[in-house]
Amino acid sequence: MPPTLLWLLLAFNAVFAQETLPSQDNVTDYAPATNVECPDLSTSSLLREWSPQNQTLHPAETAYVDSRFNTTIQSAWNEWLNSSALGYNVSAFQGMFPKVGIAAPGGGLRAAQYALACMSGIDARNASSKAAGTGGLLQTASYMTGLSGGSWVLGSLVFNNWPTAPDLVYGNGGNLSGWKLDLPFVSPDGDDVFSENNQYFYGSILWSVISKANQGIDTSITDPWARMISYHFLNQTSRDNFFTNSTAHGAGQLWSEIPNIPAWQEKTMPFPIVVADVRPANDNSTGQLGLSPTVYEITPFEFGSFDPQLSTGMNLTYVGTHLNNGKSENGSSCVTGFDQAGFVMGSSASLFNQIFDFANNELQSFGGYDSQDSNSLVYVLQRQLRSVRTRDDDVANWPNPFQGIKSSTYEDTNSTWLSLIDGSSNLENVPYGPLFVKARNVEVIVTLENSADDPNNWPNGTGPLNTALRLSTLLRATHQQFPPIPQTPDDWVSTGVRQRATFFGCDPTQSPPEYPMVILLPNAPPINGDNPVTNSATFTLTYPLLFTQLLMDQVHSNTISGFTPNANTPDPNFGLCLQCAAVDRARLKTNPVTPRSSMCTQCFKQYCYDPNNPPSESELPNRKLIFVDPTPLGLSKLTGFLSTNKFKLVGGLIGLVAFIAIFCGGLIWWKRRQDRRLEYEEVNEYHDDADTMGLWRGQKQYSDLHAEQYELQPGR
Ligand SMILES: *[C@@H]1O[C@H](CO)[C@@H](O)[C@H](O)[C@H]1NC(C)=O
Ligand SMILES: *[C@@H]1O[C@H](CO)[C@@H](O)[C@H](O)[C@H]1NC(C)=O
Ligand SMILES: *[C@@H]1O[C@H](CO)[C@@H](O)[C@H](O)[C@H]1NC(C)=O
Ligand SMILES: *[C@@H]1O[C@H](CO)[C@@H](O)[C@H](O)[C@H]1NC(C)=O
Ligand SMILES: *[C@@H]1O[C@H](CO)[C@@H](O)[C@H](O)[C@H]1NC(C)=O
Ligand SMILES: *[C@@H]1O[C@H](CO)[C@@H](O)[C@H](O)[C@H]1NC(C)=O
Ligand SMILES: *[C@@H]1O[C@H](CO)[C@@H](O)[C@H](O)[C@H]1NC(C)=O
Ligand SMILES: *[C@@H]1O[C@H](CO)[C@@H](O)[C@H](O)[C@H]1NC(C)=O
Ligand SMILES: *[C@@H]1O[C@H](CO)[C@@H](O)[C@H](O)[C@H]1NC(C)=O
Ligand SMILES: *[C@@H]1O[C@H](CO)[C@@H](O)[C@H](O)[C@H]1NC(C)=O
Ligand SMILES: *[C@@H]1O[C@H](CO)[C@@H](O)[C@H](O)[C@H]1NC(C)=O
Ligand SMILES: CC(=O)N[C@H]1CO[C@H](CO)[C@@H](O)[C@@H]1O
């Protein structure tokens, strides 16, 4: 038994041994309020339904997007575009600029950092981006979507008042404390989970989750996960107060309260949307999700979907309320405060399902263990996998507000609960769906693509290809179509489009255009031939500061540089070329149509993907594909242990699984106690296990390793 894992498992006992919960703090603000008077449902509905043929946006969304477009965004375009160099008379566009959306894909902390650095490369507030001509695109965005790790950067920007990238990630010495990614998610005080500080941390997290469970709301592994995310991505947590109960650590910050944030009121932020998938109730499989289940979106106003089968939005303020046919199951009583920012981000990043599948497969594929240590590790993990699998503890539990709605088309119309899972579960790792909704009329989609598709964690088009397929089959009537792209991952690789900025959909044939312009800003090896540090593994959950700095700088440099064919130097015209791509749709709205300028025509030859004349990877020489860890001494003891034991698992994965093991045990125990109020008795069969493993057994009748150690006994 590896000592570290054992400590992790033991930590729970210590946490739960402390029975009395003092209530002097506000991490309990994580608990939703359950007995809130519902609005008068006879005059107003919490649900907004539309037909697929006649989609409507929430009026408050339209109001925000329009008024931002007419004010802030107009000046942003005028400040960004270098009209003389572009060869356009920008005034002739008469303010009919394209509507821009930005998509931040999933991929854990790599994705969050990549998206942030890439955004900094197109941010007018960054001097070098501004000088390169790329800085300014960010300010034109009407929408931004995020999924999984991409939802963390989105939520973090929004709830910290839309700061610059360096202020957000490193802190500003004032009210922003940085992401603190050098503090491990799982055990922020270091490998010794028994340390006083780690114990405080687990205690505070569990206290939050328990306060939610106390309201009678089903919790799951996503809840402690959501709380851990909040310590890094929401404000209120600094290095000084990390291990204290002196602030709420992000608890109580609600997605529906985004409109109170100053940057919203000043209209400096795009309209934020988080994407999550669902495992439908009738889907028994534990493997890959298909493309047909509903894809959900969470805006500051609604939880819902524009997928034709649902076409309904639920008032986000009341989203914890279980509705049946639009009526509260609890009469006039509703739930508020369920839409915790951390929980929204945690739901979108609820990838435990995949982790367990992955871990299970990986573990099974390791046949001959020679060390006793690895045997017991595998043994413990497998028991955890079993205990989690059957209980829906690996999903985010959302009360279904759509029960009884759209009964002829909606697959979860009979479900009381929705099992939300990671937004990438259907292989659409880029949160494109909301941006293609016809009613939103987005004309330019900027993709901060850093999906870890190939073995070196570089993207290979898997996400866009799956979205294109979903759009052209299930969503034909309700969504715009994807522009032409290489048709297989192999083609994405051989054309090189995944390794440098590429514009898709440059030459639509219809008016209005049959698809938006898609600008791809992919995670790629440094153009100068340096070793890459930006393709770290998705499950790496600790980044030493130096690592973060190198990653941010490499991404920044690639983002502002474009590429020069057959060379390792930046393209001095890339800034202008990005402007050409972003503004191109405006030409088509003038009467007569403004011809493309010669500058932009030249740019498009280099950066547009033309399916009839595809480019080649060979134009991108000397690119190094293999990740080189810039901070090898920064490895945690746990990772070190695993590498010496030759576990070829994705970095950090085991740490995460161990963490999950801890919390699942406690949560399952807690939930059962809540639900049934029965006593537990240790099963003799497991006594011996526990003894050989040296597990702590206190004076209580139960230990809290995990539920399999107990059997329900009828209450005495
Ligand atoms: C579309 O929906 C809106 C809002 O529900 C409604 O006002 C309008 O009449 C509908 N239009 C059509 C053509 O059905
Ligand atoms: C924004 O401008 C458009 C076009 O000028 C106009 O139709 C619309 O009413 C304006 N919206 C707001 C909220 O000002
Ligand atoms: C506009 O582009 C020209 C030519 O590339 C360049 O010399 C000039 O500095 C640019 N102006 C601004 C404001 O970026
Ligand atoms: C640019 O367009 C505006 C508005 O159409 C027009 O008034 C102006 O004369 C144009 N400028 C040039 C140099 O063509
Ligand atoms: C601009 O980006 C560079 C590279 O990441 C960074 O070093 C610099 O601090 C940034 N400046 C601002 C003002 O954000
Ligand atoms: C932290 O976030 C909350 C909610 O968005 C906000 O009210 C508060 O002002 C923020 N604090 C700082 C220091 O940014
Ligand atoms: C915060 O409260 C929880 C729950 O009572 C407790 O377990 C934890 O130790 C507390 N942290 C500190 C620093 O007191
Ligand atoms: C789901 O699995 C259970 C047990 O394996 C089986 O009894 C049930 O019929 C399955 N349901 C569906 C809809 O496949
Ligand atoms: C949610 O419902 C409340 C009460 O009816 C209402 O005041 C609020 O505007 C609604 N919010 C949205 C986003 O529709
Ligand atoms: C919902 O339940 C009804 C009644 O049991 C059944 O007829 C219907 O097929 C179910 N719908 C779905 C989508 O499962
Ligand atoms: C592309 O990525 C998928 C996973 O997303 C992987 O299975 C496949 O092998 C990759 N193909 C290439 C050519 O990189
Ligand atoms: C400062 C503050 O708002 N403290 C509150 C924290 O939460 C407890 C109850 O959970 C309240 O009593 C405090 O007023």
Side-chain angles (χ1 to χ4, degrees):
M1 184 74 191
T4 310
L5 184 66
L6 184 59
W7 291 335
L8 284 168
L9 296 172
L10 282 169
F12 233 154
N13 295 319
V15 165
F16 266 81
Q18 196 178 22
E19 268 275 304
T20 48
L21 304 174
S23 60
Q24 92 273 10
D25 181 68
N26 297 57
V27 291
T28 54
D29 296 347
Y30 186 68
T34 43
N35 280 308
V36 178
E37 180 83 30
C38 295
D40 182 354
L41 296 179
S42 61
T43 55
S44 66
S45 173
L46 290 177
L47 296 180
R48 203 174 59 80
E49 295 183 60
W50 55 88
S51 73
Q53 297 75 30
N54 181 21
Q55 288 174 328
T56 54
L57 303 180
H58 192 286
E61 173 181 337
T62 309
Y64 182 79
V65 170
D66 279 2
S67 84
R68 172 168 152 80
F69 189 83
N70 285 2
T71 55
T72 329
I73 288 182
Q74 293 294 321
S75 31
W77 279 107
N78 288 318
E79 277 160 36
W80 181 38
L81 298 178
N82 185 338
S83 11
S84 56
L86 284 177
Y88 291 129
N89 176 0
V90 170
S91 327
F93 295 147
Q94 297 177 328
M96 295 180 296
F97 294 111
K99 196 172 277 177
V100 176
I102 299 179
L109 292 178
R110 180 200 64 250
Q113 294 174 98
Y114 178 85
L116 188 67
C118 205
M119 287 166 79
S120 178
I122 57 173
D123 189 338
R125 294 173 294 182
N126 187 292
S128 55
S129 313
K130 181 79 182 152
T134 51
L137 175 56
L138 178 64
Q139 277 69 23
T140 70
S142 289
Y143 287 97
M144 179 165 168
T145 58
L147 163 169
S148 202
S151 79
W152 302 346
V153 65
L154 176 58
S156 193
L157 281 163
V158 167
F159 281 89
N160 287 289
N161 204 23
W162 209 259
T164 61
D167 282 1
L168 186 61
V169 75
Y170 307 121
N172 62 0
N175 56 4
L176 301 179
S177 306
W179 280 354
K180 305 173 288 292
L181 302 183
D182 54 311
L183 303 180
F185 263 51
V186 178
S187 54
D189 190 38
D191 277 358
D192 176 7
V193 295
F194 271 140
S195 80
E196 209 172 20
N197 278 340
N198 276 334
Q199 290 296 304
Y200 286 150
F201 176 66
Y202 298 135
S204 297
I205 284 190
L206 279 174
W207 192 20
S208 285
V209 177
I210 286 167
S211 69
K212 177 171 176 180
N214 264 335
Q215 297 292 86
I217 297 180
D218 251 337
T219 55
S220 76
I221 185 67
T222 302
D223 290 284
W225 179 234
R227 293 298 298 132
M228 290 196 339
I229 291 168
S230 305
Y231 275 67
H232 296 273
F233 294 109
L234 297 179
N235 63 30
Q236 297 185 317
T237 304
S238 66
R239 285 176 199 275
D240 292 338
N241 71 18
F242 206 103
F243 302 103
T244 73
N245 284 329
S246 67
T247 78
H249 298 294
Q253 299 190 18
L254 303 181
W255 205 261
S256 58
E257 286 177 359
I258 288 175
N260 297 335
I261 294 171
W264 172 284
Q265 292 174 348
E266 292 150 14
K267 303 185 180 68
T268 45
M269 64 164 85
F271 188 83
I273 307 178
V274 165
V275 169
D277 287 344
V278 72
R279 193 200 294 150
N282 61 9
D283 176 1
N284 237 0
S285 70
T286 54
Q288 194 62 60
L289 205 62
L291 287 176
S292 58
T294 305
V295 174
Y296 291 89
E297 60 169 57
I298 301 155
T299 76
F301 302 116
E302 284 180 326
F303 166 63
S305 180
F306 283 86
D307 287 3
Q309 65 268 29
L310 183 52
S311 296
T312 306
M314 165 70 178
N315 186 319
L316 193 67
T317 305
Y318 293 95
V319 81
T321 311
H322 177 209
L323 301 181
N324 198 339
N325 278 309
K327 300 271 180 301
S328 171
E329 285 275 276
N330 266 346
S332 62
S333 171
C334 278
V335 175
T336 58
F338 186 86
D339 55 315
Q340 300 278 328
F343 190 63
V344 168
M345 296 189 273
S347 297
S348 179
S350 201
L351 35 58
F352 304 107
N353 188 1
Q354 287 101 308
I355 289 179
F356 287 127
D357 281 333
F358 179 81
N360 216 356
N361 292 338
E362 288 293 301
L363 292 174
Q364 276 166 9
S365 70
F366 280 101
Y369 308 101
D370 43 326
S371 106
Q372 237 185 334
D373 276 355
S374 21
N375 268 325
S376 33
L377 178 65
V378 169
Y379 171 70
V380 172
L381 283 178
Q382 284 191 333
R383 281 182 18 179
Q384 296 300 338
L385 298 178
R386 282 207 312 274
S387 75
V388 169
R389 167 65 69 219
T390 52
R391 291 190 183 86
D392 274 14
D393 270 302
D394 56 345
V395 303
N397 292 307
W398 287 58
N400 184 5
F402 309 117
Q403 191 174 355
I405 297 297
K406 303 278 161 103
S407 54
S408 58
T409 51
Y410 175 49
E411 75 270 23
D412 268 320
T413 190
N414 290 340
S415 308
T416 313
W417 288 88
L418 293 178
S419 301
L420 295 198
I421 52 178
D422 197 275
S424 68
S425 306
N426 67 356
L427 291 183
E428 285 189 284
N429 192 43
V430 185
Y432 278 131
L435 299 175
F436 279 87
V437 168
K438 276 185 181 161
R440 291 204 167 103
N441 192 26
V442 176
E443 296 161 280
V444 177
I445 297 176
V446 181
T447 312
L448 316 178
E449 171 64 303
N450 72 105
S451 305
D453 293 329
D454 81 4
N456 289 315
N457 297 325
W458 302 113
N460 71 16
T462 299
L465 284 166
N466 278 290
T467 293
L469 179 60
R470 193 164 192 271
L471 291 171
S472 67
T473 52
L474 302 165
L475 306 181
R476 261 209 109 75
T478 49
H479 290 60
Q480 297 191 70
Q481 295 302 299
F482 216 91
I485 49 177
Q487 284 303 294
T488 65
D490 282 329
D491 292 345
W492 280 71
V493 173
S494 66
T495 55
V497 295
R498 64 168 189 152
Q499 270 183 32
R500 41 80 161 194
T502 306
F503 312 149
F504 298 99
C506 294
D507 296 296
T509 58
Q510 295 170 23
S511 174
E514 64 271 35
Y515 39 66
M517 169 83 85
V518 173
I519 296 175
L520 184 76
L521 300 175
N523 188 15
I527 59 167
N528 62 7
D530 280 357
N531 285 323
V533 304
T534 62
N535 52 334
S536 48
T538 297
F539 296 110
T540 300
L541 290 181
T542 312
Y543 283 80
L545 203 57
L546 174 63
F547 194 157
T548 293
Q549 282 167 348
L550 293 170
L551 188 155
M552 299 286 294
D553 286 348
Q554 250 185 28
V555 174
H556 182 84
S557 160
N558 258 15
T559 305
I560 66 174
S561 296
F563 77 107
T564 304
N566 309 307
N568 294 92
T569 49
D571 172 4
N573 285 330
F574 179 60
L576 287 175
C577 290
L578 192 64
Q579 295 175 26
C580 287
V583 82
D584 199 63
R585 293 293 195 254
R587 288 187 308 108
L588 308 177
K589 296 186 208 176
T590 60
N591 187 8
V593 165
T594 308
R596 193 172 280 155
S597 70
S598 62
M599 174 72 212
C600 289
T601 304
Q602 191 189 321
C603 280
F604 277 26
K605 273 203 193 101
Q606 179 171 339
Y607 288 98
C608 286
Y609 170 71
D610 175 358
N612 298 318
N613 186 15
S616 164
E617 186 189 13
S618 66
E619 290 165 39
L620 309 168
N622 306 321
R623 303 303 204 263
K624 295 216 178 86
L625 295 174
I626 297 177
F627 171 72
V628 177
D629 189 338
T631 52
L633 297 177
L635 281 184
S636 75
K637 275 192 223 158
L638 188 59
T639 318
F641 164 81
L642 291 166
S643 45
T644 49
N645 282 272
K646 307 238 176 342
F647 274 78
K648 300 204 170 38
L649 294 168
V650 177
L653 175 68
I654 291 285
L656 190 53
V657 172
F659 162 78
I660 291 163
I662 294 172
F663 277 106
C664 281
L667 287 168
I668 291 167
W669 170 79
W670 177 260
K671 247 174 70 183
R672 286 193 161 183
R673 204 178 76 145
Q674 278 297 116
D675 291 353
R676 315 201 191 151
R677 300 186 188 286
L678 294 175
E679 288 183 43
Y680 295 91
E681 207 173 72
E682 265 185 279
V683 181
N684 283 337
E685 184 193 337
Y686 287 108
H687 266 187
D688 296 338
D689 279 1
D691 283 340
T692 25
M693 288 157 64
L695 290 177
W696 175 89
R697 296 161 62 217
Q699 309 94 322
K700 299 205 179 81
Q701 273 191 298
Y702 52 82
S703 88
D704 298 298
L705 178 57
H706 62 71
E708 272 189 72
Q709 283 182 266
Y710 318 108
E711 214 170 51
L712 283 171
Q713 302 290 319
R716 274 167 249 171

PDB file of all heavy atoms in Angstrom, residues 82 84-85 130 573 576, ligand 3:
ATOM      1  N   ASN A  82      -7.261  48.534 -38.429  1.00  0.00           N
ATOM      2  CA  ASN A  82      -6.309  49.477 -39.012  1.00  0.00           C
ATOM      3  C   ASN A  82      -6.776  49.682 -40.459  1.00  0.00           C
ATOM      4  O   ASN A  82      -6.275  49.034 -41.389  1.00  0.00           O
ATOM      5  CB  ASN A  82      -4.916  48.839 -38.940  1.00  0.00           C
ATOM      6  CG  ASN A  82      -3.818  49.763 -39.405  1.00  0.00           C
ATOM      7  OD1 ASN A  82      -4.078  50.720 -40.144  1.00  0.00           O
ATOM      8  ND2 ASN A  82      -2.584  49.478 -38.995  1.00  0.00           N
ATOM      9  N   SER A  84      -6.554  51.805 -42.901  1.00  0.00           N
ATOM     10  CA  SER A  84      -5.723  52.124 -44.064  1.00  0.00           C
ATOM     11  C   SER A  84      -4.908  50.897 -44.474  1.00  0.00           C
ATOM     12  O   SER A  84      -4.804  50.577 -45.654  1.00  0.00           O
ATOM     13  CB  SER A  84      -4.826  53.321 -43.750  1.00  0.00           C
ATOM     14  OG  SER A  84      -4.072  53.045 -42.601  1.00  0.00           O
ATOM     15  N   ALA A  85      -4.341  50.207 -43.479  1.00  0.00           N
ATOM     16  CA  ALA A  85      -3.524  49.050 -43.825  1.00  0.00           C
ATOM     17  C   ALA A  85      -4.375  47.909 -44.388  1.00  0.00           C
ATOM     18  O   ALA A  85      -3.934  47.147 -45.241  1.00  0.00           O
ATOM     19  CB  ALA A  85      -2.757  48.577 -42.601  1.00  0.00           C
ATOM     20  N   LYS A 130      -1.521  44.253 -28.753  1.00  0.00           N
ATOM     21  CA  LYS A 130      -1.996  45.453 -29.435  1.00  0.00           C
ATOM     22  C   LYS A 130      -1.023  45.825 -30.553  1.00  0.00           C
ATOM     23  O   LYS A 130      -1.419  46.088 -31.694  1.00  0.00           O
ATOM     24  CB  LYS A 130      -2.119  46.587 -28.409  1.00  0.00           C
ATOM     25  CG  LYS A 130      -2.614  47.905 -28.957  1.00  0.00           C
ATOM     26  CD  LYS A 130      -4.123  47.898 -29.150  1.00  0.00           C
ATOM     27  CE  LYS A 130      -4.589  49.218 -29.751  1.00  0.00           C
ATOM     28  NZ  LYS A 130      -5.808  49.079 -30.550  1.00  0.00           N
ATOM     29  N   ASN A 573       2.419  40.232 -40.736  1.00  0.00           N
ATOM     30  CA  ASN A 573       1.073  40.648 -41.137  1.00  0.00           C
ATOM     31  C   ASN A 573      -0.036  39.911 -40.416  1.00  0.00           C
ATOM     32  O   ASN A 573      -1.212  40.125 -40.720  1.00  0.00           O
ATOM     33  CB  ASN A 573       0.883  40.434 -42.645  1.00  0.00           C
ATOM     34  CG  ASN A 573       1.613  41.481 -43.446  1.00  0.00           C
ATOM     35  OD1 ASN A 573       1.776  42.610 -42.981  1.00  0.00           O
ATOM     36  ND2 ASN A 573       2.084  41.111 -44.623  1.00  0.00           N
ATOM     37  N   LEU A 576      -3.006  41.928 -39.036  1.00  0.00           N
ATOM     38  CA  LEU A 576      -3.910  42.426 -40.077  1.00  0.00           C
ATOM     39  C   LEU A 576      -4.751  41.291 -40.652  1.00  0.00           C
ATOM     40  O   LEU A 576      -5.941  41.457 -40.928  1.00  0.00           O
ATOM     41  CB  LEU A 576      -3.095  43.093 -41.200  1.00  0.00           C
ATOM     42  CG  LEU A 576      -2.487  44.448 -40.866  1.00  0.00           C
ATOM     43  CD1 LEU A 576      -1.613  44.946 -42.011  1.00  0.00           C
ATOM     44  CD2 LEU A 576      -3.583  45.470 -40.549  1.00  0.00           C
TER      45      LEU A 576
HETATM   46  C1  LIG B   3      -1.480  50.112 -39.330  1.00  0.00           C
HETATM   47  O1  LIG B   3      -0.750  49.294 -40.221  1.00  0.00           O
HETATM   48  C2  LIG B   3       0.404  49.924 -40.714  1.00  0.00           C
HETATM   49  C3  LIG B   3       0.969  49.020 -41.788  1.00  0.00           C
HETATM   50  O2  LIG B   3       1.117  47.702 -41.290  1.00  0.00           O
HETATM   51  C4  LIG B   3       1.370  50.153 -39.576  1.00  0.00           C
HETATM   52  O3  LIG B   3       2.523  50.793 -40.035  1.00  0.00           O
HETATM   53  C5  LIG B   3       0.693  51.010 -38.529  1.00  0.00           C
HETATM   54  O4  LIG B   3       1.529  51.128 -37.395  1.00  0.00           O
HETATM   55  C6  LIG B   3      -0.612  50.385 -38.113  1.00  0.00           C
HETATM   56  N1  LIG B   3      -1.308  51.295 -37.232  1.00  0.00           N
HETATM   57  C7  LIG B   3      -1.735  50.907 -36.023  1.00  0.00           C
HETATM   58  C8  LIG B   3      -2.456  51.932 -35.242  1.00  0.00           C
HETATM   59  O5  LIG B   3      -1.542  49.793 -35.610  1.00  0.00           O
END
